[in-house]
Amino acid sequence: MLQRYSRAPNSGSLPRIQTLRRPDLPSRCHSAQFMQYTSISTRWPLLTRPGLSPWRRKTCPMTYNNGHRLLATAVEGAMRQEDVTLSHIHSHISPTYMQPPPPHTPLYHLRAFDPATALQIKIKDGTLPRHRVSTSGIPGGIDEMLSLFDACIDVNKLERAALVLQRLSQFRDDEGLPGSKLVLLHNQYLRAGVVRALEQPESRSAESLHQWFEVQIREKNVPYTPETIAYMLKATLLSSQGSELSGLVTRYLNLLPEESTWPVLDAGILNQQDFGTITSIYQPISNLATGDWGSLGDDASPEPNMSSDPSVCEEPQSESNVAPDVLAVPQKGLGLETLRGVLSFFDQIDGKGLARLSSDERREIQARLEKDCVEAAIQRWRVERENLAKMGRNTSLSKYGLNSKLYDWQCSLEEQIQEDLDLVSQSEEREKKTSDDLERCIYGPFMRQSTAARLAAVTIMTVLNCLAQNGADQGVPLSGLVSNVAKATEDDVRLQVRQRRMAESKIRLKKKEEDQQVSYQSRRATDVTVSDIRDGDEPTPTGTNSHILGVSKFDFVSWPVLVKAKLGARLLAALIASANVTVTREHPKTKELVSQIQPALAHTRIHRKGKTLGVVLPNKALVEMMKQEPRGDYLARHLPMLVEPTPWSKFDSGGFIQSPSQLVRIKGGEEDQRVYAKAAIQRGDLEQACKGLDVLGKTAWQINKPVFEVLLEAWNSGEKLANIPPLHPSIPVPEEPPASEDPLVRRVWLRRVKAVENEKSGLHSERCFMNFQLDIARAFRDLTFYFPHNMDFRGRAYPLPAYLNHMGADHVRGLLRFAKGRELGERGLYWLKIQLANVFGFDKASLQEREAFATEHLKDVYDSAAKPLSGGRWWLKAEDPWQCLAACFELRAALESPDPTKYVSQLPVHQDGTCNGLQHYAALGGDLWGAQQVNLTPGDRPADVYSAVAELVKKQITEDAAADNFMAKAVEGKITRKVVKQTVMTNVYGVTFTGAKAQVQKQLEAAYPDLESQAGIPITLISSYVVTKTFNALSTMFRGAHDIQYWLGECAGRVCRSISPEVVDQLAAEGSATSAKRRPAKGRNSSTAHTKDDTQDLAGYFRSTIVWTTPLRMPVVQPYRKNSARHIPTCIQELRLATPDRSDPVNRRKQLQAFPPNFIHSLDASHMLLSALECDELGLTFAAVHDSFWTHAADIDAMNRVLRDAFVRIHSEDVIGRLACEFKARYEGYLQLTKIPRSSATGVEVAKWRRSQKIGLKRELLMERQRQKLISSSDPKEVAKGLDMVTPASIYEKLSSADETLPVNEDIDEVALGGLSNAELGESEEGENMAVRKNDLGMDTERVQGLMKVTHFEATLKKMSGPQSKKSSSPMEIWVPITFPDIPVKGDFDVTQLKDSQYFFS
């Protein structure tokens, strides 16, 4: 949470002060650093009482280095806790992981992996204590207090920081910070106090530190470190003289044992002059040679202030080729071109142009491009306002561009924020605080970390972007808007920190080069780059198992929810109060135009589903301006890069140069994935993943100018062309019906009018987004650029630039080409023709037929390239018209060259997998039939799995029709490949039954609009019937994959119903074992009376999420939990905000449904990254869109071999077997709550045992945990005692037969291929008037026809929704050690066959 140490704006820091470094925070930021204090007792002992052993001369080696900045260097360059290296953690890591791979092992080969040593993070569970806000305005949560303390230290509010420390000290030992971590905060406070004493020598800051040390540290038995004593010595030297100085120096040094002398003097706090004074006073160390302290350095002269960044060069930028402006929905104001013009560095580039600058120059430009975005937005607004002023326009009364008004908003909001900051100071000083004062005390220090100008600009841009994303006229929920504003503010603060630290690092490096007396140790301690900035705990090894790492519960990275809610609401309220727009309307009588200033935003409440929700609604005038002028602000941080991205080296170091980015995309509150990813990086597990992302990022791109020119001309025409929506869509509005007594008539009309408005709004939004993309393409048309990549939690790679990247729609892909070209050669010309056929849509034929297709249409190709808009427009008939046009340009240019094989091509040529998810499933399950359908086996023609599934569906329907099934008769002959394609494609990735039904319904309605009226059957029912047949066909074709999905789902179900040993021990510590015995309900069986209640009580302890390791050794953590919510009062209204926490129970349904598709995604991500690494090794240019791989036409054959080899390498290993071993190791010791039949022998015996014991499930859980501990003991007596214990699990183990297995998870049907969710089948939807069960769809046609004649309400009332079944007794729940089912038997398919399959990717 600590952001910076350098003085906040207007704090008056003194550049001459060069004697301090910043200490570390507690483990919320660096538990690893805390290890340096605690684990090495001879260096950093924690002391609560003085060691009085006699002193004697002790010479310490000068090579000792504690990894810190020395005191005798600049305050402005003070180290942060993020700067501390964590290399010492490597000493705890298993040699298996720390040793590099064999020297000749290529990077693209899979590393050896032992599932038994898979990375495990043991989170110290337990909710943090939370109390009321104190009367002095200190919040009651530890996370909130730590964040507030950090902010107060940051902005030099030491009095407030002291109050936070005092309250933290009041917590009980079992709920607060341990003393060993609390002392780090005290050190931080002491350090800030010494800084103040140096900056303000006339103050009594130094004297107050002595009292603080005695009262807050020694009297409260807080263990102090040598660093603490070093600060006290520094305070003594600043505040005392004569005998007082001698007495205090002697006293403080006597508090330490002899072996701790050196850490005090070498802590980087005392300089050589201080050492001289101390040695003259304290004789035991007076004999140390002064010359040995050269590494401490002398007090240097004040460091000169350095400008933010030097100019790259002085001459103005030369003009590049002028392209036509982007018309239609161009940004009515200055637009992107002006945004680029006002960025400071664009005026300082000489005539060479960007493309001809050196790498270092372009890197400097890229860094400034990233950091100037907020200032550029403010300048943009200011310039447009000044332009209007020159025209004599008053922006408050004019209707001109939104940007000119935004500067008025900026000025007004900036003034309000400054007033609020003044009120914060008054509130902090007021003794008796009101509720408003208490609120200001919480968010005030965080506001001070930025400036009023930046806070105002960030708030304005965030609100407008949220309005644009949600639909300008729809409004935005208040809670979401507040969270977005707070998150953007926090990110901007972090960005400012990064920028300052980079500038400080440059200053320090420059000074060290001039200072010849700086030792190697000092150099290591001060060489800090932006990559050293870290947040959060680093995991630490637990016990002897180096792969099991522990993380403290005091692990906070972002601002707490309370702070975000208070700060975000305050900024949003200020914007609502200050933002105005001019509304011009026609007077109803005089017909004159009347202008009025109205609020731009309004806060209101709406009622939805029985709840009152706060909403921020924009003024209609603002909506109209936003539609004409789409927002382009904040764009600079999301543009492509001008240089190769920074290689990924740490979790938050890579990609952009200065803009904060993370290796793994993590949503707010999903801390587990962050912790696992950091630990994996620290252990070296993510080397291949990081290098793979680097390969994707260093691919150089350019704008395909011929395609851009055509696209720009079509865009400026305003007409619809390909996927470009029209500027003025002609969508007729239904006529208003005449007055009618039937209210439904008008309601239907209103619904149709709303549909038309929504369609127009959607087209406009789409056009606005395309406007962004075209503006960016125009700005970069003469440049080479790059797309930095990161990955999601499954390992799938995504480009960081949001608007323009190769994962965009067809027109964006058509606009992009490789910056580097390759000669085609014979094979390249062949593949270029196939690319043309593929993007046209002729991709189901053989490769030879595709080449012939291109050759046969050469006349159309030439016409399309020569006259794309005025000719025959053949390219517009393609499935991907813009990519087809790009292929036409490239093919014509090659064929018109003197030697087509020598033509240098830059066009990316694609190789796409055949339903890649099913390819992985077929390989995992060994399904020969399924493998043939997805081209894993050699063949003369490409197989089409969608057509194969369609044929199976047709066969089933024909059989049902012969059996007189009325639904089969309605749809017979109407099933095509297109009807089932989307369902087959998405089923492997977890599509629900409802989603599949909507997909099939959409295709049926498009192909047969009158199907419902002709058949007399609701289209939803027909769609449900087709979906069941489609799922049945899939499960038949991919039998092995079907079994694997069931196995994955069953494993997930058991994990989600299990409790870890740590949580069980926590239950025991909370006193669950001594809870009062429940009395059975009257007239009920005692063995069941307690079970239901206890299960509900224990539901909050099911926190075990699904974790697995990919073939690239990336740990994947599923983030699905039932997040708790917190009601927080703000200045606008009370907000109910989600507060995600790793102690929240898992969302079992989401975990089960998401695990199989996420597992497959992790495999295809590994395949892609392995392929990228090998292609890079071979010198190939490589890009990818998940399962679509791109390279030059000349290199397709080489890339195809790489793709096949990488797939074979992954699936030649026992992927499922390794996963099973990992699960057994990861969840060893977990206890699972499972169900057994009450009538079974085990059930009868357990019921008898429970009647005699009369205890609940909690007590049974603790008993079973105790039994497992005894059985695993090394003491034979304890083992015998454990074997003699009787628990439900021991009864189950004794009575269950060898063949008897635990019952299958009741939700398992939802995760398998063709699985149908009972919950989904039973849910009612608007417009449906029947309830049909799964079995009814194809069997009991009379029942279905009967249900069709009644409403859903009548069917429910009459209990007609399904066949009545005999009521069975509820199962019995017992605790057993978790086990996993046997792995399904694999089929006969040999994955190496795909090496000869030319259509595996084609």
Side-chain angles (χ1 to χ4, degrees), residues 57 171 260 295 639 697 850 1180 1208 1254 1270:
R57 184 177 186 273
F171 279 85
S260 297
S295 61
L639 292 172
R850 297 181 213 180
L1180 276 61
V1208 170
K1254 297 182 180 179
L1270 293 173

Side-chain angles (χ1 to χ4, degrees), residues 156-269:
N156 201 27
K157 288 291 182 179
L158 300 190
E159 296 75 17
R160 299 292 300 168
L163 293 175
V164 176
L165 260 182
Q166 290 171 4
R167 188 169 194 192
L168 277 170
S169 301
Q170 296 171 1
F171 279 85
R172 300 194 314 269
D173 293 340
D174 60 337
E175 64 178 14
L177 283 173
S180 58
K181 297 188 178 183
L182 189 61
V183 68
L184 301 183
L185 294 179
H186 281 287
N187 288 347
Q188 192 174 339
Y189 175 80
L190 293 174
R191 180 178 187 275
V194 172
V195 171
R196 177 181 285 185
L198 286 164
E199 293 178 338
Q200 304 171 11
E202 69 282 356
S203 69
R204 298 184 58 82
S205 299
E207 290 87 337
S208 65
L209 296 182
H210 298 295
Q211 181 180 1
W212 181 270
F213 177 78
E214 295 298 332
V215 176
Q216 301 297 332
I217 297 179
R218 295 205 68 205
E219 286 189 8
K220 295 184 177 180
N221 291 324
V222 176
Y224 46 86
T225 68
E227 185 181 9
T228 313
I229 302 302
Y231 286 132
M232 297 313 303
L233 289 173
K234 189 70 178 179
T236 300
L237 295 172
L238 293 173
S239 63
S240 305
Q241 295 179 353
S243 60
E244 182 184 7
L245 174 64
S246 300
L248 287 175
V249 167
T250 302
R251 179 178 181 277
Y252 285 131
L253 286 174
N254 280 338
L255 291 176
L256 294 171
E258 177 183 357
E259 63 271 13
S260 297
T261 309
W262 176 256
V264 171
L265 302 177
D266 192 40
I269 298 169

Side-chain angles (χ1 to χ4, degrees), residues 340-404:
R340 297 176 71 242
V342 299
L343 290 175
S344 58
F345 63 84
F346 275 104
D347 293 331
Q348 301 167 358
I349 300 173
D350 63 15
K352 293 186 297 182
L354 276 175
R356 299 177 57 189
L357 292 179
S358 68
S359 175
D360 290 340
E361 289 174 316
R362 285 186 286 118
R363 194 166 185 83
E364 181 68 19
I365 290 175
Q366 174 64 37
R368 300 183 65 187
L369 171 64
E370 294 175 22
K371 74 177 184 179
D372 281 354
C373 58
V374 177
E375 291 85 351
I378 299 174
Q379 177 67 8
R380 176 187 179 190
W381 304 338
R382 182 186 296 114
V383 168
E384 189 147 330
R385 185 180 185 277
E386 291 173 352
N387 290 343
L388 284 179
K390 292 177 183 178
M391 298 168 57
R393 304 287 185 179
N394 186 338
T395 57
S396 63
L397 298 177
S398 67
K399 293 174 56 180
Y400 288 85
L402 175 60
N403 287 324
S404 60

Side-chain angles (χ1 to χ4, degrees), residues 915-930:
C915 199
N916 191 235
L918 284 176
Q919 288 180 325
H920 282 286
Y921 265 126
L924 291 173
D927 291 307
L928 182 57
W929 187 16

Side-chain angles (χ1 to χ4, degrees), residues 1078 1089-1099 1255-1259 1373:
R1078 296 179 183 268
H1090 68 283
T1091 305
K1092 182 176 180 181
D1093 295 334
D1094 279 359
T1095 302
Q1096 293 175 351
D1097 293 341
L1098 289 168
I1255 60 176
L1257 278 175
K1258 283 187 179 180
R1259 178 59 180 162
E1373 293 180 321

Side-chain angles (χ1 to χ4, degrees), residues 6 145 215 223 265 372-373 510 558 684 687 877 936 956 969 1004 1071 1119 1274 1338 1353:
S6 58
M145 283 188 278
V215 176
L265 302 177
D372 281 354
C373 58
K510 181 179 180 181
S558 61
E687 179 192 11
K877 301 176 183 178
L936 295 187
Q956 294 178 68
K969 291 180 177 180
L1004 289 176
S1274 58
F1353 175 78

Side-chain angles (χ1 to χ4, degrees), residues 1055 1104-1107 1222-1230 1378 1380:
V1055 170
S1104 305
T1105 187
I1106 312 298
V1107 184
E1222 180 180 347
F1223 278 173
K1224 291 177 182 178
R1226 184 179 299 281
Y1227 300 106
E1228 182 181 6
Y1230 281 56
I1378 191 169
F1380 296 98

